[in-house]
Amino acid sequence: MENKYAHIPQEKFAFAQKDAVLHDKKFDTKARSYFADALIRFKKNKSSVVAAYIILFLILFAIIAPIVTPYSIKDKDNVYTNFPPYNPDIAALDIGILDGSVTYSSVNETKIAALKAIGIETGMDPYIKTVGTTEVKSIYRGQERITTTYKVKVNRYFEQGVRTLVVSAEEFAKMQAWQNETGIQLLYPVVDINKVYPGVDAAELRLIAKNANIWYQCADTKNTPAYDANGNFIPAYVTGVTYAEPEYQYNSLRIAGDDGSYNYCTVKSGSVEVRICYYNYYQYLKGMEPNYLFGTDEYGRDLFGAIGIGARFSLVFAILVSAINLTIGAIYGSIQGYYGGMVDMILDRISDILSGVPFTVVAVLFQLHLAKKVGIVPSFLFAFVLTGWIGMAALTRKQFYRFKSQEYVLAAKTLGANDRRLMFKHIFPNSLGTIITSCVLVIPGVINSETSLTYLGIINLSTFAGTSIGELMSLGQTAMTGSPHAMLFPSLFVSLLLISFNLFGNGLRDAFNPSTRGVED
Amino acid sequence: MVKYALQRTALMLFTLFIITLMCFVLIRMLPLAPLPIGDPHTAVIEARREALGYNKPYLVQFGIFLRDVFTKWDWGICDSAKYYGKDVAQLFTSKLPASMIVNLYSIIFSIPIGIALGIFAALKKNTWIDHTISTLVMVCISVPSFVYAFLIQYILCFKLNLFPLVMKGGTDWFSWPMFVSMMPAVLSLAFGTIAGFTRTTRAELTEVLTSEFMLLARTKGLTKRQATVRHAMKNCMVVVLPSIFGSFIGILSGSLIIEKIFSIPGVGELYLYSINALDYPLFILLTVFYTAIGLAAGIVVDVSYGFIDPRIRMGSKK
């Protein structure tokens, strides 16, 4: 075999390349950077991409909602508190959403009649529909009686109907002017209580609870309406009282059926008592109809804007905290991981002790010591930073242990790079992906703690930020039985935010973690 | 192993000591509540403050505090309105059962469910069952516990009327009505625990199932079931069991939020009270307590690894 190639003639040989210059072949494919690679892997994870869009949407909501809403966080209302979502234009479409409706169970006929009466007087019918009826049989004095109760859907904004208000004469004139200008009936004729309950003596009248919405004649003191021959309510307005003073004269819109004799105010020691339709009075005060997309909270604030304001604070705060923690943790962890040995042990003991302190204790102590000196928010921030960086430091330390014994570090060291350059120029950038990812996962944790503490009332941010999600939830929980929306919307917002941040963070972590590389291909 | 456990305990006591010292000094630095003029107890209170060393340096005060705690188990006396004059340690002990029982029920209830779900998800890896369970776990871990508490309180307690809105009063801890009234709180706490255990079990079991000794077990003739139960589960438990022990330590501490929402007369509620009423002696005791619980749970988890898995040897130098 060896002999076979022993005598190959020289001319058979040729130069593979004689004058050619050899180059490495240029890659046909484009080089992918580390981050581009991570991005491609991230995009493959559908749920994380969706989560990223949801986060974007929630952030936009937090920015835009307080701007779009016509209310500021300081706008409160004494009547419309814990009221359901309502928008006048959408309510007019009658499609069952944003109609300010609540469902009352076990409503009797008198109550339904009262609701309809409000509708007849103000022209805004609170009664939407009857959802169901229940018949309860009971034995009363040996006789079987059937009591029918109804489940009724009611517009809570219209249900307020008319209220009694004592105003000054100037205010009265202003109201009339407003009425003339807008053509909206604000003032309603005052009611004569003797006509409402005919034949009831004065002593008994005093015992009846006053209800500004009863403008019709009643058959008994339980407010059962008395109807006329055609089945209509019988008005019980005051008629024919005249005041000599010009400021008490009424020269404005009159309700239908008024022959000019109804009185629109009662003069009481220099002021006038009027009956105003609250829905229109609201317009008179604020210049618009109530428009609460998420309803109102305990103080009558617009939840739509309030959630946005709370969310702004939470998001900015969480990002700030995680940025600070990232910085401190990275430096601390780098030193720990790079030097190792005794330095590592001492620093580890320090972070061990700090991480042992329960977070609530830290928050409370900082609040007590610092809040007066530097303000609530900075002291709250310090509390988060005091123990928050520990996780980040541990992570950086681990990464440093992983990279510091690699050859390229040794090479750099041989070339004369000093410690700082090695740490922050050579080792740290390699661990950056992992660290930034865990930074994203810190955000939901911070939001969760912040919401918990404001919910518990340990930290009160209302003077600084206006409100906070935790505070809104706490208010919502007290009103939970009557108006679940006040609790639902803040909880929904926070849950959605936290779920998507966690999903997003997990997706990022998987994308940056090279150990999963190639697994899904 | 025992040496390691002792080392860790000693280190924990040291950490606890440092934290107690820090918190103690920080709390004593706060201004004292001024006594109302003409208060009949003024003399008594001032004498007591004198005895506690309020006019002495902080370290001396701390010494007095430690002496009282170690010699007489005297943690001080409440100085806020609601529990005025009560012994702090006694008050604290009286609040422990409620928290413990609620947490115990929740753990007993959620650990089997969590582990079962985790095993199920791991065995059906990458099927829709696994995806559903994993998604639910993700949701349950992310959503804060008070949101469940709201939902449970609104739907189960208020709308469906299955349970009372808040926990029943009284101290008949093991009666049926008490059990029913505890249920909402137990459920609210359980969600997070279930999710946690499902996640751990699933992650661990999927890793074990793909390891090579499982293949060996199958090749030597075990059925999949036998291999899973005898080999995979055993290895998976190395991680799961320590966290079970850890959560049993954790039953002592009450959750601030859940106890507030369901009015559970437990430690968490007391803690919240001490914060809001600025009752310093109570606050110090509870701080020490919560710190100790947190540290102890960590140690139990770490040490139990060594006891469960003979392959892990901690503390010994190679």
Side-chain angles (χ1 to χ4, degrees), chain A residues 349 352-358 360-361 364-365 368-369 448 451-453 455-458 470 473-474 476-477 480-484 487-488 491-492 494-496 498-503 506, chain B residues 11 14-15 18-19 22-23 25-27 29-30 138-139 141-147 150-151 153-154 158 165 199 256-257 260-262 271-272 275-276 278 280 283 286-287 290-291 294-295:
Chain A
R349 282 284 81 73
D352 238 25
I353 289 172
L354 280 179
S355 69
V357 190
T360 324
V361 175
V364 171
L365 283 178
L368 293 174
H369 275 283
N448 195 345
T451 316
S452 307
L453 288 176
Y455 170 79
L456 289 170
I458 295 178
M473 285 199 201
S474 164
Q477 202 232 341
M480 181 186 68
T481 48
S483 31
M487 175 195 90
L488 177 76
S491 313
L492 199 68
V494 146
S495 308
L496 209 57
L498 294 186
I499 292 172
S500 18
F501 257 115
N502 276 330
L503 273 178
N506 282 349
Chain B
L11 203 59
F14 174 70
T15 313
I18 299 279
I19 294 176
M22 284 192 322
C23 293
V25 171
L26 282 173
I27 290 169
M29 276 163 75
L30 292 168
M138 186 72 224
V139 171
I141 283 184
S142 312
V143 174
S145 61
F146 42 115
V147 176
F150 288 155
L151 286 177
Q153 200 173 34
Y154 184 69
F158 176 64
L165 274 175
R199 189 160 75 168
L256 295 181
I257 289 177
K260 185 190 176 198
I261 294 178
F262 296 108
Y271 195 24
L272 197 59
I275 291 168
N276 287 331
L278 296 182
Y280 299 136
F283 185 64
L286 287 165
T287 302
Y290 271 94
T291 314
L295 294 172

Side-chain angles (χ1 to χ4, degrees), chain A residues 246-276:
Chain A
E247 65 260 35
Y248 301 139
Q249 301 302 322
Y250 184 75
N251 301 307
S252 184
L253 301 181
R254 290 181 175 273
I255 63 165
D258 183 3
D259 52 4
S261 64
Y262 289 172
N263 277 73
Y264 286 78
C265 70
T266 320
V267 176
K268 277 190 176 170
S269 56
S271 338
V272 286
E273 191 184 82
V274 288
R275 283 176 77 234
I276 46 113

